[in-house]
């Protein structure tokens, strides 16, 4: 209800002003979702950012001194991922709370259409390799699937089962491969003492590799890590880079001081056509190599610099952006950003 509310707990008093014009039927009902890909560049010094708690996206004007917020545009509940369909002057919005992809017409400044894609869409990747049609691949986190959407027809044309709780995806446009990371497929046993019988690595379907020409799974990358939050594909080196957190649950008496979680970057060779030849090239623990004393916690979004010699990584729980050498992952710089950075884009 709109108005001024006074909240008291002991001697603490907080005044909250609720404005009716900013409320919708599902504002603040489901505010626990955090965005997977919240930033998208629109060209001409503008961008858009998703705000799941507000059930809206916001336009940004980009300048030398930073970003200036513009219009707040209502969407369906939990907008968690954005993709710019530039040919149609449209931003696609994954609306996790409504199981839909919304079509936001930039010329009209509003959602003009939406289609149901499945239970809790988490991320969107565009495929423009076919001149006749543009496909969107949508990670359906709630049902462990990926949907292929014909954007011109505005309908789901294929659905494929993948690993557990898919979130991060990246597209190899040269070989027409879609890499889909399971958020927690390797987390097959509880935290704490490991089970007597370890889970078969082949059941840990951490990263699915989809042949988009046939829309079939061509292979898997197994045993990558407990939680896989981010993926990046480097076409110049044919490497897949994963942002991972490992749970070290071999010790029954584990404590916070013993390092129960390792936050790492993993480089995977996916140059060969056969999945059996794919292998982890190397792995770097971000916390161990930090000289500043700050945590390397929760690596999330990654982006190569324009020169492709360095890699930027958002550290969600570490509240910073990390710069590492693109090949060795050696830490070069760290910049504090504030709470939970999740998105990256370059403004030139």
């Amino acid at each position: 209800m709109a108005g001024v509310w006074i909240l008291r707990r002991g001697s603490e008093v907080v005044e909250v002003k609720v404005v009716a014009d900013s409320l919708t039927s599902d504002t603040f009902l489901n505010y626990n979702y955090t965005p997977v890909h919240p930033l998208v560049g629109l060209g001409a010094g503008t961008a858009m950012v998703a705000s799941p708690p507000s059930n809206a996206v916001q336009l940004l004007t980009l300048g030398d001194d930073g970003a200036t917020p513009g219009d707040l545009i209502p969407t369906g509940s939990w907008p968690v991922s954005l993709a710019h369909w530039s040919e149609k002057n449209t931003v696609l919005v994954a609306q996790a709370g409504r199981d839909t992809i919304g079509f936001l017409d930039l010329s009209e400044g509003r959602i003009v259409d939406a289609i149901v894609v499945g239970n809790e869409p988490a991320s969107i990747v565009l495929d423009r390799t076919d001149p006749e049609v543009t496909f969107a691949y949508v990670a359906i986190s709630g049902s462990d699937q990926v949907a292929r959407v014909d954007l011109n027809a505005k309908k789901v044309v294929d659905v494929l089962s993948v690993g557990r709780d898919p979130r991060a995806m990246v597209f190899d446009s040269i070989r027409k491969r879609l890499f889909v990371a399971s958020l927690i497929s390797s987390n097959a046993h509880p935290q704490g003492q490991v089970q007597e019988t370890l889970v078969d690595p082949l059941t840990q379907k951490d990263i699915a590799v989809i042949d988009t020409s046939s829309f079939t799974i061509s292979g898997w990358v197994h045993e990558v890590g407990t939680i896989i939050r981010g993926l990046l594909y480097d076409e110049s080196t044919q490497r897949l880079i994963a942002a991972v957190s490992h749970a070290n649950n071999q010790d029954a008496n584990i404590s916070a001081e013993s390092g129960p979680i390792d936050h790492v970057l993993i480089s995977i060779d996916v140059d060969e056509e056969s999945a059996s030849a794919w292998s982890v090239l190397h792995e770097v623990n971000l916390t161990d190599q930090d000289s500043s004393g700050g945590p390397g916690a929760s690596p999330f979004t990654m982006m190569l610099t324009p020169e492709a010699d360095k890699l930027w990584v958002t550290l969600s729980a570490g509240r910073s952006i990390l710069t590492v050498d693109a090949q060795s992952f050696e830490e070069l710089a760290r910049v504090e950003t504030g709470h939970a950075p999740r998105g990256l884009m370059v403004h030139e």
Side-chain angles (χ1 to χ4, degrees):
M1 183 179 296
V4 177
W5 296 80
I6 306 296
L7 308 179
R8 292 185 175 89
R9 186 178 65 176
S11 61
E12 185 179 1
V13 179
V14 176
E15 180 179 300
V16 178
K17 183 179 181 181
V18 180
V19 181
D21 291 346
S22 65
L23 302 181
T24 66
S25 59
D26 48 12
T27 296
F28 302 119
L29 291 180
N30 302 296
Y31 53 85
N32 60 324
Y33 256 68
T34 50
V36 177
H37 296 292
L39 276 173
V40 63
L42 305 178
T46 59
M48 183 170 283
V49 61
S51 177
S54 299
N55 294 326
V57 296
Q58 188 155 31
L59 288 170
L60 303 173
T61 300
L62 307 177
D64 295 337
D65 298 328
T68 302
D71 293 339
L72 193 67
I73 302 173
T75 66
S77 57
W78 308 350
V80 293
S81 186
L82 306 177
H84 186 203
W85 188 16
S86 56
E87 295 88 343
K88 299 293 185 179
N89 198 32
T90 295
V91 171
L92 304 173
V93 184
Q95 303 172 138
R98 289 189 173 175
D99 300 339
T100 58
I101 294 296
F103 293 75
L104 195 160
D105 189 310
L106 291 170
S107 61
E108 296 192 30
R110 64 185 183 91
I111 298 284
V112 296
D113 203 352
I115 58 171
V116 175
V117 292
N119 185 20
E120 297 187 4
S123 57
I124 309 169
V125 171
L126 294 186
D127 179 356
R128 298 182 173 91
T129 56
D130 185 340
E132 300 299 323
V133 63
T134 298
F135 289 112
Y137 303 111
V138 183
I140 310 299
S141 63
S143 55
D144 302 339
Q145 295 175 319
V146 172
R148 179 161 66 167
V149 179
D150 182 333
L151 292 179
N152 297 313
K154 292 185 178 179
K155 69 176 182 179
V156 175
V157 292
D158 288 295
V159 177
L160 187 63
S161 294
V162 289
R164 184 180 174 192
D165 197 357
R167 302 283 182 97
M169 299 192 299
V170 67
F171 182 51
D172 171 10
S173 60
I174 296 176
R175 293 189 176 180
K176 296 181 174 57
R177 299 181 296 181
L178 181 71
F179 299 95
V180 184
S182 303
L183 183 68
I184 50 175
S185 81
S186 281
N187 195 14
H189 47 70
Q191 299 295 315
Q193 189 170 13
V194 73
Q195 294 177 355
E196 291 182 5
T197 302
L198 293 177
V199 176
D200 185 345
L202 294 182
T203 69
Q204 300 177 22
K205 297 180 177 180
D206 282 3
I207 300 176
V209 185
I210 297 174
D211 180 342
T212 58
S213 298
S214 60
F215 203 61
T216 58
I217 292 179
S218 59
W220 297 89
V221 184
H222 301 281
E223 281 195 298
V224 178
T226 312
I227 301 174
I228 307 173
R229 294 186 177 89
L231 287 180
L232 181 143
Y233 181 66
D234 183 356
E235 291 187 345
S236 64
T237 60
Q238 300 285 300
R239 290 182 307 155
L240 185 66
I241 302 173
V244 177
S245 294
H246 293 309
N248 301 320
N249 47 12
Q250 295 84 5
D251 186 351
N253 300 310
I254 202 164
S255 65
E257 290 72 26
S258 65
I261 299 176
D262 289 330
H263 303 286
V264 303
L265 295 180
I266 295 176
S267 180
I268 303 165
D269 180 9
V270 290
D271 186 25
E272 299 295 332
E273 293 292 342
S274 172
S276 62
W278 298 339
S279 60
V280 172
L281 296 173
H282 70 285
E283 176 177 320
V284 172
N285 189 312
L286 298 178
T287 302
D288 286 350
Q289 71 171 7
D290 174 37
S291 60
S292 68
S298 305
F300 206 93
T301 310
M302 297 174 288
M303 177 180 289
L304 287 168
T305 60
E307 298 79 15
D309 59 336
K310 300 179 183 66
L311 181 70
W312 290 316
V313 185
T314 62
L315 302 179
S316 179
R319 300 188 176 196
S320 57
I321 294 177
L322 186 67
T323 303
V324 300
D325 181 273
Q327 299 301 317
S328 68
F329 298 154
E330 177 187 358
E331 180 169 336
L332 303 175
R334 188 179 293 227
V335 178
E336 293 186 4
T337 61
H339 184 65
R342 293 294 181 97
L344 283 172
M345 61 168 285
V346 174
H347 168 57
E348 296 179 314

